[in-house]
Amino acid sequence: MRRFPLLLLTPLLTLCTAQAASFTVGLAFDLGGRSDQGFNQAAYQGAKRAIDETGGAVQTFEPRTLAEVGRGIPSMASKGAGIVVGVGFSNNAAITAAAAKNPGVRFVTVDDLPKGPNTTGLRFREQEGSFLAGYLAGKQSATGRIGFIGGVDLPVIRRFRAGFEAGVKFACAACQVRSVYVSTTSQGFSDSATARRLAAQLLAGGHDIIYAAAGASGQGVIEQIKAQPCLKAANLPAGVKFRANPYADVPRGPAEQKACAGDTRPTFFIGVDTNQNALGDFDKNPATLNHGLTSMVKRVDNAVYAVIKDVAEGRPWRSGDRSFGLSNGGISLATDQYNKALIPDDLQNSLKKLEGLIVSGTVKVPAK
């Protein structure tokens, strides 16, 4: 990575060279930045993989405040980028404006639909994977109370919420889902402190599984689960009781055994965008109980990779909406060494069957 001198108060603009810079990709991040362990990071991984194969360079713009989101897009387009990708809906207005002024450049928005014949939107059927995540949570919750934390109340986040709530109810009609939001602005995707406070409130209400569709804010949820790895029967609110103990036989590390002695049940987060299961391995031992139940993975990396490869290799441009879901590898639930013990074989089989029913259209998943 080469970093070029910049004024101290300007956003971060870098050029990452894979081979000779004969083809340049402009990648404008949303708040949270390239290393958010989520949406932005996945987009960068996809762009880097495409450039490693085709040659060229990735130029990135990293906003430090909400007001800076999208500012790097015009300069990327005017300085020779063959394709400019804006990550997140907040970049969409800048992508549409730059596309109108640079008809020879291709423009992409991840998670929204820009305007113009030289633009395309990479959008995902988040509700499909969220339905599976909700089904898993409904089957495995020890209290029947489950939480959802959205970054902002937007159409894309409503798809997460609608699918998740429907999946919980499909598995457990008596279960309750409480949904809350971090903010009313895009700051909701980079405010881990507020997300952590909301997670603490949900846990206090007896919600033992929390699904966060909130970008980098989701790190606050993980931090709160780490601080409170179990619910204690004596601290449950009135009217809430443990209904099951599905993880009684999963071994736990010494620290957790001590902290969660007596009548307790473990707490879990469900990761989003990338596979965040490993972030729930608080004792650095995959053999003991993990607190990442699963992750609803949006293969932003695959989508960004595919559209960049098309442009770099001269394939015909497809404007408009490109949709990704369970049927074409755009959405999946993550299973690995960290959460395998949390999802019994019979439940794994049920999830596979349910996925097939969603793809075939037999099970209709709501998007709002």
Side-chain angles (χ1 to χ4, degrees), residues 12 35 43 84 95 124 139 181 192 199 211 234 292 302 317 325 336 362:
L12 184 61
S35 301
V84 179
I95 285 287
F124 297 80
K139 287 293 186 183
Y181 294 89
S192 62
Y211 180 34
N302 285 349
W317 177 251
D336 54 25
T362 303

Side-chain angles (χ1 to χ4, degrees), residues 284-367:
K284 306 303 179 184
N285 181 1
T288 57
L289 187 138
N290 188 66
H291 291 270
L293 182 59
T294 188
S295 296
M296 203 294 286
V297 181
K298 285 174 66 169
R299 296 308 305 266
V300 175
D301 57 335
N302 285 349
V304 170
Y305 166 84
V307 73
I308 291 173
K309 283 271 286 187
D310 283 352
V311 175
E313 297 179 351
R315 296 189 184 91
W317 177 251
R318 292 167 48 202
S319 61
D321 191 5
R322 297 194 190 186
S323 180
F324 300 84
L326 292 174
S327 63
N328 59 357
I331 294 289
S332 66
L333 279 192
T335 303
D336 54 25
Q337 62 176 329
Y338 296 102
N339 70 336
K340 190 173 186 219
L342 305 178
I343 310 175
D345 290 343
D346 59 342
L347 187 50
Q348 284 276 14
N349 292 334
S350 294
L351 286 166
K352 281 293 182 186
K353 290 178 182 177
L354 186 55
E355 180 177 339
L357 293 172
I358 293 170
V359 170
S360 70
T362 303
V363 171
K364 306 291 185 182
V365 179

Side-chain angles (χ1 to χ4, degrees), residues 8-23:
L8 291 177
L9 297 181
T10 59
L12 184 61
L13 185 64
T14 64
L15 188 67
C16 179
T17 303
Q19 297 179 30
S22 56
F23 176 77

Side-chain angles (χ1 to χ4, degrees), residues 7-362:
L7 293 175
L8 291 177
L9 297 181
T10 59
L12 184 61
L13 185 64
T14 64
L15 188 67
C16 179
T17 303
Q19 297 179 30
S22 56
F23 176 77
T24 300
V25 174
L27 185 61
F29 296 115
D30 204 345
L31 286 176
R34 189 180 77 186
S35 301
D36 66 348
Q37 300 188 68
F39 203 65
N40 288 302
Q41 185 170 319
Y44 178 76
Q45 290 169 346
K48 187 67 166 58
R49 175 156 52 105
I51 284 299
D52 284 345
E53 293 181 11
T54 62
V58 180
Q59 185 180 33
T60 64
F61 176 83
E62 201 159 352
R64 293 172 178 169
T65 67
L66 181 59
E68 292 175 352
V69 173
R71 284 189 184 174
I73 289 171
S75 62
M76 290 177 181
S78 64
K79 292 179 181 178
I83 180 171
V84 179
V85 180
V87 184
F89 75 94
S90 296
N91 278 299
N92 197 44
I95 285 287
T96 295
K101 295 178 180 179
N102 300 273
V105 180
R106 306 305 186 189
F107 291 86
V108 179
T109 303
V110 180
D111 250 11
D112 210 340
L113 188 61
K115 297 178 181 178
N118 57 332
T119 72
T120 192
L122 307 180
R123 299 200 288 184
F124 297 80
R125 299 189 293 277
E126 295 91 354
Q127 67 272 18
E128 296 178 352
S130 296
F131 187 95
L132 295 177
Y135 179 85
L136 175 60
K139 287 293 186 183
Q140 297 299 86
S141 174
T143 64
R145 289 195 175 189
I146 298 158
F148 173 86
I149 297 178
V152 185
D153 187 5
L154 296 166
V156 60
I157 303 302
R158 289 175 206 144
R159 293 198 293 271
F160 279 100
R161 185 193 66 198
F164 186 66
E165 290 176 346
V168 169
K169 290 296 183 180
F170 193 83
C172 173
C175 287
Q176 300 176 21
V177 180
R178 183 183 173 196
S179 299
V180 294
Y181 294 89
V182 178
S183 177
T184 57
T185 74
S186 294
Q187 199 69 44
F189 296 108
S190 59
D191 185 355
S192 62
T194 298
R196 180 169 182 172
R197 176 175 55 80
L198 292 173
Q201 292 173 359
L202 289 171
L203 293 172
H207 301 80
D208 62 330
I209 301 173
I210 301 175
Y211 180 34
S217 296
Q219 297 303 308
V221 177
I222 297 171
E223 290 167 6
Q224 185 58 36
I225 295 291
K226 184 175 183 179
Q228 191 175 344
C230 56
L231 298 181
K232 299 182 178 181
N235 296 335
L236 291 175
V240 179
K241 296 181 179 180
F242 292 136
R243 62 175 194 154
N245 193 9
Y247 304 112
D249 296 330
V250 179
R252 306 187 189 194
E256 184 159 332
Q257 290 182 39
K258 181 178 180 180
C260 298
D263 191 8
T264 68
R265 300 292 186 274
T267 58
F268 300 94
F269 67 86
I270 295 176
V272 76
D273 293 338
T274 60
N275 183 357
Q276 298 177 331
N277 293 352
L279 299 179
D281 181 18
F282 300 144
D283 64 358
K284 306 303 179 184
N285 181 1
T288 57
L289 187 138
N290 188 66
H291 291 270
L293 182 59
T294 188
S295 296
M296 203 294 286
V297 181
K298 285 174 66 169
R299 296 308 305 266
V300 175
D301 57 335
N302 285 349
V304 170
Y305 166 84
V307 73
I308 291 173
K309 283 271 286 187
D310 283 352
V311 175
E313 297 179 351
R315 296 189 184 91
W317 177 251
R318 292 167 48 202
S319 61
D321 191 5
R322 297 194 190 186
S323 180
F324 300 84
L326 292 174
S327 63
N328 59 357
I331 294 289
S332 66
L333 279 192
T335 303
D336 54 25
Q337 62 176 329
Y338 296 102
N339 70 336
K340 190 173 186 219
L342 305 178
I343 310 175
D345 290 343
D346 59 342
L347 187 50
Q348 284 276 14
N349 292 334
S350 294
L351 286 166
K352 281 293 182 186
K353 290 178 182 177
L354 186 55
E355 180 177 339
L357 293 172
I358 293 170
V359 170
S360 70
T362 303

